[in-house]
Amino acid sequence: MKKIELHDYEIIFDDTLSSLNDFLSNHKYSKVFVLVDENTNLHCLPLLQNILSDVAIIETKSGEENKNIAWCEMIWQQLITGNADRKALCINLGGGVIGDMGGFAASCYKRGIDFINIPTTLLSQVDSSIGGKLGVDFQYGKNLIGLFRNPKAVFISPVFLKTLPKRQLINGWAEIFKHALIKNKDQWNKYKDIDILKDDVSDIVYESLLIKKAVVEEDPFEKGLRKILNFGHTVGHAIEAYSLENDKQHLLHGEAIAIGMICEAYLSVKKCGLKGEELNEIKTLILNYFPKHDISNYDENKLLEIISADKKNDRDVVNASLLSSIGNCGYDIPISREEILESLVFYKNV
Ligand SMILES: NC(=O)c1ccc[n+]([C@@H]2O[C@H](COP(=O)([O-])OP(=O)(O)OC[C@H]3O[C@@H](n4cnc5c(N)ncnc54)[C@H](O)[C@@H]3O)[C@@H](O)[C@H]2O)c1
Ligand SMILES: [Zn+2]
């Protein structure tokens, strides 16, 4: 059983999840609540039935559009109805939506109760379940209302990925690509040669998390270095927020970030000296798994407005995290509206 140790919690890689049993017996929680959505209730909760007896289930509705304050109110209501005191535990069993929202709801309830994450999507296993960023969406602002707080533990098992739809599996690869692009060229090179749908991802999840761990431990509150994890997210978050409001079938987080990474790799050439061949490499591999999405009818002024309102900016300057080469990323690089528009044109013409 592998572990990654962070300052105040562990990520436990445990196929059978028997270590969750030990965790629960070692911590004498007054009551255990398990937060699920309808999919993780159906597919994931039964896999834990031997371990999770005598727990209260709180079911939310899946989807980014439900990562909001209204659903938090429902969670708080159920915690109150279930008599949750400050020694209660919330287990977030699900993808990034459950993790971000459940962690946020738990952290606000009675000024904070413990929570643990059992991520059940590839994206949440490689990214959102660690690092302590919690929150919900508000108006056009992705994760606009939220806070930093770490889980008590994270349990990762490949068993959950078996029921994950293919689109969701590919979605998670956006963040795996991002981790390699910002910090590890060898990993990036390896990903060029594998079939991401066929190969076993357990080792990849582990190595990708090592990158995130190193970054978030050096800068837990995003004062500096941690901003490199936002590569692809300046443009990507705006595309995601816009798509959520306007597309009939909206883009998933990773799909929007894939577009953002291509745009920001273009900006990296202009602003940070990324080589043209590397831009090509990035574009080719990403498009291989995230085919070009038609953004020709997206309102560019609205996209710029969303980007300007992003919580990552200082005052009026839009700052991005850009690559100087594959494996090396800088941050706080100011980009102009014109440059952002140019990068969108680049994507439209790939
Ligand atoms: N906090 C962070 O640092 C961070 C980092 C990256 C992304 N995020 C957030 O994560 C969210 C995206 O997370 P996600 O991609 O996991 O999406 P998600 O939580 O919406 O899950 C995707 C879908 O898969 C279903 N599902 C989950 N596990 C399943 C399983 N094992 N079998 C079958 N279906 C399953 C869910 O019900 C949902 O319909 C976004 O809100 C994004 O902002 C947060
Ligand atoms: Zn992301």
Side-chain angles (χ1 to χ4, degrees):
M1 196 168 63
K2 276 197 261 191
K3 277 185 187 176
I4 295 180
E5 301 206 357
L6 289 97
H7 288 319
D8 52 353
Y9 64 103
E10 286 180 338
I11 309 171
I12 299 144
F13 296 80
D14 180 4
D15 293 9
T16 64
L17 287 150
S18 54
S19 48
L20 175 60
N21 230 342
D22 304 336
F23 176 91
L24 292 174
S25 0
N26 290 340
H27 294 77
K28 301 268 172 271
Y29 287 108
S30 58
K31 192 151 185 191
V32 176
F33 292 80
V34 184
L35 186 67
V36 290
D37 61 29
E38 73 282 6
N39 297 317
T40 60
N41 199 356
L42 179 70
H43 298 297
C44 306
L45 195 58
L47 303 173
L48 298 174
Q49 72 184 16
N50 294 337
I51 303 169
L52 297 180
S53 55
D54 197 21
V55 295
I57 308 298
I58 303 179
E59 184 180 311
T60 59
K61 199 159 179 290
S62 69
E64 184 70 30
E65 59 278 23
N66 296 309
K67 193 173 110 175
N68 56 35
I69 287 288
W71 276 102
C72 286
E73 283 184 19
M74 193 285 288
I75 297 167
W76 292 322
Q77 185 56 59
Q78 296 218 26
L79 289 171
I80 292 166
T81 312
N83 294 321
D85 61 17
R86 288 175 101 172
K87 293 226 165 84
L89 172 75
C90 180
I91 300 181
N92 299 321
L93 180 65
V97 167
I98 289 284
D100 282 13
M101 182 163 68
F104 174 70
S107 302
C108 297
Y109 182 76
K110 297 198 171 169
R111 298 208 176 87
I113 58 170
D114 284 0
F115 67 94
I116 62 174
N117 289 334
I118 307 183
T120 61
T121 62
L122 182 58
L123 185 138
S124 56
Q125 292 194 349
V126 296
D127 193 355
S128 62
S129 61
I130 79 151
K133 275 190 178 180
L134 312 169
V136 292
D137 302 336
F138 190 68
Q139 297 169 3
Y140 264 102
K142 281 272 307 155
N143 307 317
L144 195 64
I145 309 296
L147 43 84
F148 286 96
R149 197 157 185 262
N150 283 327
K152 285 291 159 198
V154 180
F155 294 88
I156 295 193
S157 167
V159 71
F160 299 115
L161 303 182
K162 288 189 182 140
T163 53
L164 198 61
K166 184 174 147 200
R167 183 175 173 206
Q168 294 291 347
L169 201 62
I170 296 174
N171 184 49
W173 270 88
E175 306 285 9
I176 297 177
F177 286 149
K178 180 194 77 181
H179 287 159
L181 283 172
I182 59 172
K183 237 8 192 162
N184 194 318
K185 187 165 182 166
D186 291 342
Q187 277 180 25
W188 172 258
N189 286 336
K190 197 165 90 185
Y191 302 154
K192 288 194 285 190
D193 298 325
I194 64 171
D195 180 344
I196 66 171
L197 287 174
K198 287 214 181 100
D199 291 34
D200 178 15
V201 291
S202 298
D203 289 345
I204 291 166
V205 170
Y206 179 78
E207 66 186 26
S208 198
L209 272 175
L210 283 178
I211 293 182
K212 180 151 182 185
K213 168 205 147 84
V215 174
V216 298
E217 287 222 302
E218 203 172 320
D219 176 19
F221 300 112
E222 202 167 288
K223 301 281 181 231
L225 178 78
R226 184 171 178 161
K227 295 179 187 176
I228 65 173
L229 293 169
N230 295 329
F231 172 65
H233 286 61
T234 299
V235 176
H237 263 166
I239 299 263
E240 182 184 12
Y242 187 89
S243 171
L244 204 57
E245 291 290 321
N246 297 288
D247 283 344
K248 259 204 191 108
Q249 205 203 23
H250 68 78
L251 290 165
L252 301 177
H253 178 74
E255 293 168 343
I257 297 316
I259 299 174
M261 285 194 287
I262 293 178
C263 293
E264 292 176 31
Y266 169 84
L267 292 171
S268 299
V269 173
K270 273 196 84 125
K271 311 280 294 185
C272 288
L274 179 75
K275 291 209 175 71
E277 309 92 80
E278 293 201 318
L279 167 63
N280 257 333
E281 238 184 67
I282 294 169
K283 188 185 80 179
T284 307
L285 187 60
I286 290 180
L287 287 173
N288 218 353
Y289 292 106
F290 298 90
K292 188 175 159 184
H293 178 73
D294 184 9
I295 58 163
S296 57
N297 59 350
Y298 280 31
D299 177 346
E300 288 179 343
N301 285 325
K302 186 70 204 174
L303 287 176
L304 288 173
E305 200 185 295
I306 303 171
I307 290 174
S308 305
D310 194 298
K311 62 191 173 314
K312 294 191 286 292
N313 299 324
D314 293 332
R315 299 190 194 88
D316 291 338
V317 184
V318 174
N319 283 322
S321 301
L322 301 176
L323 306 172
S324 51
S325 63
I326 291 178
N328 288 295
C329 190
Y331 55 87
D332 281 347
I333 298 149
I335 49 172
S336 68
R337 291 166 67 89
E338 291 69 31
E339 286 163 338
I340 295 168
L341 290 175
E342 242 182 71
S343 76
L344 293 169
V345 171
F346 175 76
Y347 180 78
K348 287 180 199 166
N349 292 323
V350 288

